Amino acid sequence: RIPRVFTLKGGASMSNKTAVLTQYDQQRKKYERFAREVEHQLRCILEEEGIVCNAITSRVKERDSLTQKIDVKSDKYKSLSEVTDIAGIRIITYYDSDVERAAKIVEREFCVDKENSINKREALGPEKFGYCSVHYVVSMNEDRLKLPENRGYAGIKCEIQIRTVLQHAWAEIEHDLGYKSEIDIPKDIRRSFSRLAGADKEVQEIRDFLETYREKVEAEISEKSDYGTPDCELDAVVLEAVLKTKPNFQELNRRIGEIAGMKIRVPAKQKDKQDYYGGTLQKLNCLGISTTAQLDQLAERGADLASYLADKFLRDRYKTEPEGATLPNTIGVFYLCYAQLILNNYSKERVVQYMENTSIGVLDERDPFVQNLLKYGREFAVQQ
């Protein structure tokens, strides 16, 4: 008699399903290692290329999810290797242009299964915004498989999904609302997709504007332009350009770095720039300094005093710092602010209030610090 093969709902045979799930149980650990390795490689490459991501995550499909996939896909899968999304990587970028950059990197660094990959950004219209991810099915290339730690991954594929943070947010929201596909969504809600697609474009336009603005500011605030003409209102981009292009600020930083025996660090990551320049702008604002002309006047008036104060506070303090420690490129402006307090004859109480308003130091240390600051100011005045 010919053995009977049971067919499940949807058409998947019991024998195929059992074989695939058995292979899954046997190889799950390998797929987990594979997913983590691909995630690590992508994280390193994207960082090297200067692409800042909101998140890069990896996962392995759960057994229940695989079972449902086999049932739905009829008799498509006869072995685990035919399921291309057991391992999955998700790359979430901040900007639409970085989706394209990340996609090119994936195509360059991995073997892409074009038959099973899709760029939904090209295939779908803006009303289907939440589904506009780029999906690649990839495997490691020959060069990577030659490495001893990767040899066991030959023939294994994973899915890489790339989308913007706004696309990801909407995809998560529509999933939470219970819609499984875009055809399930009411017509009035589908119109919202177009507005969200427009928001993604506006975010990209803001980034492009800031890049153009930064280039323009750096050109204007240069040694040749003598940046007091025209005078610029201080913001993070302008302050960065001042510290990058103006010799008097670079010289002050050099002097302070030499005093402390440390190199000056220029922030590269956007988060560091926000911390450095945002905090410095707050200090300048507390002192009524809001334009490049006012900042330049402070540098001309107070650079020697700022350097003197740095010598008093930094020379001994940083002797215990580890080798390779650095100072931020805002350190010169930081001590110029102290110089401004002294030059404007601020009282001890007002200096303490300044430190409190700008979150400098801790409460118990502020009084003795301010006493020393004002003492050094008087010493400097006598020497002059």
Side-chain angles (χ1 to χ4, degrees):
R1 293 180 60 186
I2 299 175
R4 182 179 178 186
V5 177
F6 290 97
T7 301
L8 303 173
K9 183 179 179 180
S13 70
M14 179 66 78
S15 60
N16 286 348
K17 179 178 179 180
T18 301
V20 173
L21 292 177
T22 299
Q23 292 171 11
Y24 172 86
D25 293 336
Q26 294 171 344
Q27 299 182 41
R28 174 170 180 142
K29 294 295 184 183
K30 178 187 285 190
Y31 274 92
E32 289 175 347
R33 294 193 299 271
F34 176 64
R36 289 195 298 268
E37 178 59 27
V38 174
E39 177 195 346
H40 172 72
Q41 291 176 8
L42 284 168
R43 193 180 295 277
C44 292
I45 296 169
L46 291 171
E47 183 176 345
E48 186 69 23
E49 295 283 343
I51 299 177
V52 179
C53 295
N54 173 266
I56 304 174
T57 59
S58 61
R59 64 100 182 106
V60 169
K61 186 181 288 293
E62 295 295 332
R63 197 178 198 277
D64 289 346
S65 179
L66 175 60
T67 300
Q68 293 175 14
K69 186 181 184 78
I70 295 171
D71 290 343
V72 171
K73 293 292 184 178
S74 185
D75 208 21
K76 179 178 179 180
Y77 304 115
K78 296 180 176 61
S79 68
L80 188 66
S81 62
E82 295 175 349
V83 186
T84 58
D85 65 343
I86 296 295
I89 313 296
R90 177 173 288 162
I91 301 171
I92 302 175
T93 70
Y94 287 102
Y95 304 104
D96 194 62
S97 61
D98 284 339
V99 172
E100 297 293 341
R101 293 176 64 196
K104 290 179 180 178
I105 288 171
V106 169
E107 293 178 2
R108 184 187 73 204
E109 299 291 337
F110 295 87
C111 294
V112 177
D113 180 351
K114 294 184 179 180
E115 184 178 342
N116 290 302
S117 302
I118 182 172
N119 186 344
K120 294 186 178 182
R121 294 151 57 86
E122 298 175 355
L124 301 177
E127 74 281 359
K128 300 173 183 177
F129 170 74
Y131 302 88
C132 289
S133 303
V134 178
H135 292 257
Y136 286 110
V137 173
V138 307
S139 55
M140 287 191 181
N141 59 34
E142 292 183 4
D143 289 338
R144 284 199 166 86
L145 289 174
K146 290 177 182 178
L147 298 174
E149 62 269 27
N150 293 335
R151 287 172 186 166
Y153 301 139
I156 298 182
K157 295 181 179 181
C158 73
E159 181 183 74
I160 299 176
Q161 181 188 88
I162 314 171
R163 57 169 52 148
T164 68
V165 68
L166 287 179
Q167 290 166 353
H168 177 67
W170 178 251
E172 292 294 299
I173 290 170
E174 61 87 18
H175 178 76
D176 183 64
L177 292 173
Y179 296 113
K180 301 299 182 182
S181 67
E182 60 93 12
I183 62 173
D184 297 335
I185 301 176
K187 183 178 180 180
D188 289 344
I189 296 179
R190 286 203 301 268
R191 293 194 183 101
S192 298
F193 280 105
S194 296
R195 292 196 294 272
L196 284 169
D200 220 12
K201 291 179 180 178
E202 287 184 15
V203 170
Q204 181 64 49
E205 288 173 359
I206 290 171
R207 183 196 198 188
D208 294 341
F209 170 81
L210 287 173
E211 288 299 321
T212 302
Y213 177 61
R214 181 173 288 106
E215 293 173 1
K216 178 183 177 182
V217 166
E218 286 186 7
E220 291 179 351
I221 304 178
S222 63
E223 184 177 2
K224 292 181 180 178
S225 70
D226 190 16
Y227 70 60
T229 307
D231 189 14
C232 302
E233 183 176 349
L234 286 171
D235 58 33
V237 174
V238 172
L239 180 59
E240 180 182 10
V242 167
L243 299 179
K244 181 178 179 180
T245 62
K246 293 297 293 181
N248 52 345
F249 289 94
Q250 293 172 344
E251 172 61 17
L252 178 57
N253 279 342
R254 186 198 65 76
R255 288 164 62 183
I256 294 176
E258 191 174 86
I259 288 168
M262 302 169 72
K263 292 183 179 180
I264 300 298
R265 178 177 69 256
V266 177
K269 295 182 178 180
Q270 191 59 38
K271 181 183 182 302
D272 292 336
K273 290 182 180 182
Q274 292 169 353
D275 291 342
Y276 284 19
Y277 303 132
T280 302
L281 286 170
Q282 181 190 22
K283 293 175 180 63
L284 291 169
N285 184 259
C286 282
L287 298 175
I289 298 171
S290 60
T291 70
T292 53
Q294 291 172 333
L295 181 57
D296 201 31
Q297 290 169 5
L298 173 58
E300 292 178 3
R301 183 183 176 208
D304 289 340
L305 175 55
S307 180
Y308 182 84
L309 295 173
D311 181 72
K312 291 295 183 180
F313 285 114
L314 293 182
R315 189 173 293 278
D316 293 331
R317 176 182 173 185
Y318 284 104
K319 285 181 179 178
T320 58
E321 288 291 322
E323 185 177 352
T326 58
L327 290 169
N329 69 331
T330 53
I331 191 67
V333 180
F334 180 83
Y335 276 97
L336 280 173
C337 288
Y338 282 144
Q340 178 79 336
L341 294 169
I342 293 171
L343 293 171
N344 284 359
N345 296 313
Y346 274 36
S347 66
K348 174 185 173 183
E349 291 72 24
R350 289 192 67 186
V351 177
V352 170
Q353 187 63 52
Y354 163 81
M355 296 182 69
E356 182 177 338
N357 291 343
T358 56
S359 303
I360 299 176
V362 295
L363 183 61
D364 293 343
E365 298 176 355
R366 285 175 184 153
D367 276 349
F369 177 88
V370 172
Q371 289 177 6
N372 284 329
L373 177 68
L374 297 178
K375 181 183 74 172
Y376 296 147
R378 291 190 295 270
E379 291 175 359
F380 178 82
V382 171
Q383 294 179 17
Q384 301 305 301

